[in-house]
Amino acid sequence: MAAETSTSAAAGSGGGSWVESYTGMSTDNIKGLVLALSSSVFIGTSFIVKKKGLRKAGASGVRAGVGGYSYLYEPLWWAGMITMIVGEVANFAAYAFAPAILVTPLGALSIIISAVLADIMLKEKLHIFGILGCVLCVVGSTTIVLHAPQEREIESVAEVWDLATEPAFLFYATIVLAATFVLIFRYIPQYGQTHIMVYIGVCSLVGSLSVMSVKALGIALKLTFSGINQLIYPQTWLFAIIVVACILTQMNYLNKALDTFNTAVVSPIYYTMFTSLTILASVIMFKDWDRQNPTQIVTEMCGFVTILSGTFLLHKTKDMVDGLPPTLPIRIPKHGDENGYASEGIPLRSAAEGLPLRSPRAAE
């Protein structure tokens, strides 16, 4: 860890002053940054490859969005899955070296890659404002990278377990699990096919817990490889079990979301919810903001808001053509061909009138 310098508090000040502790990126933070960037490239690519595989499988079998698993026999889907696994492994390693506040927002870069490849491979055209959204994502990511906190010094997985069992994080985990079960058993059967937030809500809630477990497991493995064996602790294996359970849950519901709704909608909304909840979980569990002053925290939040603005632009303009409004429905037609288009429009509901409307594509 790079040495940290401190500025002395002014003499005679009653409550003292904030201590400046950030002088640059540590070696661990740089390693985490490189791994996170690599992860974004692989994951952004995997979204498109998996989507192509899901479309091919849905054209000849039961779609994943309605409970089918024909995509498991599609080589293209497996190619996307392997690409995602490589990206997740890089992401896993990144959390072992850098704080979640640094690693997680960099997932915005996977949105950029996904948007560009969707334009090329899926014919989901990228509007000029979408390009601006990509630029905003890069600017926001850079801001966060430059002001991210240094990684917390942790000497054993037992220390991570103590952080995870503090009342504040236990309360957060309880709320997350309760909300997840309510979504799965109460709302998904009724609204899963019509409300995108149901599937993505499950992925994001479970994802925030999986990242905390991934970070704990990554720290345990990093210490083990450095000669301090953490595999003898039961907490290491418990964190591993939680990671597997969370990832399987995320994968299942993310597949359903991708197969049911447009990629341009799924990616930014999932990123926004997942990142927000992960940062909240990290702040509660690892107390990242305790090592920063108000200026750094506000700057990080401004960077995050900039990223959110970029993803919002990507979402709102992803299917726009210059001079024309968006023409693709949020949902993918159930009986479309491999490219996701159907001969009949998808009924949409007018928020103002409550009347069924036809998508503009149907009128064409």
Side-chain angles (χ1 to χ4, degrees):
M1 182 70 69
E4 297 179 350
T5 58
S6 301
T7 55
S8 301
S13 58
S17 63
W18 286 93
V19 178
E20 287 290 336
S21 61
Y22 182 84
T23 59
M25 292 188 69
S26 67
T27 302
D28 278 355
N29 274 23
I30 292 174
K31 291 178 181 177
L33 172 63
V34 172
L35 288 166
L37 292 176
S38 302
S39 171
S40 294
V41 172
F42 285 108
I43 292 176
T45 303
S46 75
F47 268 101
I48 305 305
V49 179
K50 286 176 66 179
K51 183 64 175 284
K52 291 286 287 185
L54 287 168
R55 284 182 174 181
K56 289 189 66 176
S60 58
V62 181
R63 297 169 57 249
V66 292
Y69 294 93
S70 58
Y71 61 85
L72 294 175
Y73 300 99
E74 176 55 51
L76 193 59
W77 182 86
W78 280 107
M81 193 63 200
I82 292 171
T83 305
M84 176 170 278
I85 290 172
V86 173
E88 292 295 349
V89 169
N91 200 45
F92 176 95
Y95 282 112
F97 291 97
I101 287 182
L102 169 61
V103 176
T104 306
L106 292 180
L109 301 181
S110 68
I111 303 297
I112 297 175
I113 294 167
S114 177
V116 172
L117 291 180
D119 180 88
I120 298 172
M121 299 177 63
L122 302 179
K123 308 305 179 184
E124 298 174 0
K125 294 301 179 182
L126 189 61
H127 189 264
I128 184 64
F129 287 112
I131 297 175
L132 176 60
C134 293
V135 173
L136 288 174
C137 288
V138 172
V139 172
S141 299
T142 303
T143 302
I144 291 177
V145 166
L146 293 178
H147 295 85
Q150 305 289 9
E151 174 68 323
R152 183 189 184 110
E153 290 283 359
I154 294 179
E155 299 179 354
S156 73
V157 72
E159 186 177 342
V160 183
W161 180 258
D162 290 339
L163 294 173
T165 52
E166 288 186 355
F169 187 75
L170 286 178
F171 178 75
Y172 172 81
T174 301
I175 295 297
V176 165
L177 290 175
T180 300
F181 284 121
V182 169
L183 286 174
I184 291 175
F185 296 107
R186 176 69 175 85
Y187 290 101
I188 282 182
Q190 289 185 319
Y191 305 109
Q193 293 293 304
T194 56
H195 291 70
I196 189 172
M197 298 302 292
V198 180
Y199 285 144
I200 294 182
V202 173
C203 292
S204 302
L205 288 166
V206 174
S208 68
L209 295 182
S210 72
V211 168
M212 298 302 100
S213 300
V214 162
K215 185 170 181 63
L217 186 59
I219 290 171
L221 293 177
K222 183 178 73 171
L223 291 171
T224 299
F225 292 145
S226 67
I228 308 173
N229 187 10
Q230 301 296 303
L231 301 181
I232 60 175
Y233 294 100
Q235 292 94 328
T236 300
W237 300 103
L238 181 57
F239 281 127
I241 293 172
I242 295 174
V243 167
V244 172
C246 289
I247 288 177
L248 290 176
T249 302
Q250 285 178 268
M251 183 181 70
N252 181 44
Y253 289 102
L254 183 58
N255 278 332
K256 292 180 182 295
L258 282 172
D259 192 50
T260 306
F261 303 98
N262 196 300
T263 309
V265 181
V266 173
S267 296
I269 295 179
Y270 175 53
Y271 165 77
T272 301
M273 288 188 64
F274 170 71
T275 304
S276 301
L277 290 171
T278 298
I279 290 177
L280 175 62
S282 182
V283 168
I284 294 173
M285 179 171 170
F286 289 96
K287 302 176 177 60
D288 293 322
W289 284 349
D290 289 357
R291 306 187 297 282
Q292 294 188 288
N293 61 39
T295 301
Q296 291 171 311
I297 295 173
V298 171
T299 303
E300 286 173 6
M301 290 299 96
C302 288
F304 183 50
V305 170
T306 303
I307 294 174
L308 294 185
S309 301
T311 56
F312 175 79
L313 275 178
L314 280 170
H315 163 48
K316 296 297 290 184
T317 64
K318 182 66 176 64
D319 298 308
M320 288 179 64
V321 180
D322 288 334
L324 296 175
T327 58
L328 284 180
I330 189 173
R331 289 191 64 233
I332 294 176
K334 284 191 175 183
H335 302 290
D337 60 17
E338 181 182 331
N339 291 322
Y341 302 125
S343 58
E344 297 183 3
I346 296 299
L348 301 177
R349 177 113 0 222
S350 168
E353 304 175 6
L355 299 176
L357 302 175
R358 289 287 178 180
S359 69
R361 186 174 295 278
E364 299 173 3

